[in-house]
Each structure stands twice: as C-alpha cells, then as structure tokens.
Amino acid sequence: MYFDVVVAGGSVAGLICAREIASNNHSVLVIEEDYEIGTPEHCGGLVSTAGLEELGVLPFRKTFDHLIETAEIHAPNGKSFTINSKKQKVAEISRRELDKQIAHQSQKKWSCNQSKNKFSRNDKRRG
C-alpha cells in the first residue's frame, strides 16, 4: 500500500500531525515502536483544556486526573507565592489516555502500524 506521508511516533505530536495531514486528503501511515499507542505510559502532565479544545482534541473524562485550582511557587531564597489557575482551566492528565483518545478520534483518517517499528540512522558521520 502507498502512503503520501509516514509519521514516526504515535505520541501526541505525531498523532496530531497525522490527523492534520490526513484532513488535507493525504494518506498517512503512523509507525509506533511500542505494541500499543499510549504504552508505556509517558509522564503525565499539565495541560490547558482550552488549548486541547483549540487543537480539536476532546478528551474523555477519564483522561483528566484532576483540575488544578492553584499552584504554589517556591524560590530558592525561601520566598513563595500562589497562583490562582481556575480561569486558565489547567488539568493534570493521563498521557496514556490522551494518546489513545487522539488516536481514536483520528482513526478514520489515517492508518497506524503498531508493530514495534523503529527508524534508525544508517549513516557513518564522524564528529
């Protein structure tokens, strides 16, 4: 089978890239080195739910561990301050769930090969 584009990596960046390319009527193959997208689980993280919405990513509830209402910042000199983040809609997420949901939401637009493929450089550069 012929594909217009091959994307190496089925994490957030690769999946969104594949989705956007496919939405412009290109055939895309996503190659993921692990046996399943979202596995092994990478670090969780903090995300802006508004940012995800702008990207067209609409995560399920189980993606969100919890919403962050405040953050306390501590400087090396012992001073600290608190930030109210309710308006920013910041959430701690499960990266595994987020990766899987982006793949699921885009699955009709591209093909995904999950057979533990890796790209490797085969040149003999000397530094």
Side-chain angles (χ1 to χ4, degrees):
M1 180 176 238
Y2 171 80
F3 294 95
D4 296 329
V5 177
V6 175
V7 174
S11 191
V12 175
L15 294 169
I16 291 176
C17 177
R19 182 195 69 190
E20 294 304 304
I21 293 168
S23 71
N24 287 308
N25 298 317
H26 295 284
S27 58
V28 180
L29 173 66
V30 175
I31 298 178
E32 170 56 40
E33 72 176 306
D34 293 308
Y35 67 91
E36 179 182 26
I37 287 177
T39 303
E41 185 166 359
H42 299 284
C43 63
L46 299 179
V47 298
S48 161
T49 58
L52 289 177
E53 288 174 17
E54 268 188 55
L55 291 171
V57 176
L58 306 171
F60 301 128
R61 269 272 173 232
K62 66 181 181 177
T63 302
F64 300 107
D65 291 333
H66 64 277
L67 292 175
I68 306 297
E69 295 182 0
T70 61
E72 193 169 323
I73 311 299
H74 295 272
N77 66 5
K79 293 184 179 182
S80 66
F81 61 96
T82 301
I83 298 172
N84 181 333
S85 59
K86 285 183 184 179
K87 289 182 182 179
Q88 288 78 26
K89 297 182 181 178
V90 176
E92 181 182 3
I93 53 132
S94 162
R95 273 289 305 283
R96 179 181 199 165
E97 287 299 321
L98 183 64
D99 290 358
K100 286 178 175 282
Q101 288 170 29
I102 293 170
H104 177 74
Q105 291 169 3
S106 305
Q107 70 184 357
K108 294 180 182 176
K109 296 183 179 181
W110 47 267
S111 295
C112 183
N113 180 341
Q114 297 179 11
S115 60
K116 294 186 109 180
N117 289 301
K118 289 186 181 183
F119 283 99
S120 60
R121 291 175 60 158
N122 195 16
D123 62 7
K124 294 184 180 180
R125 293 184 188 183
R126 295 184 184 175

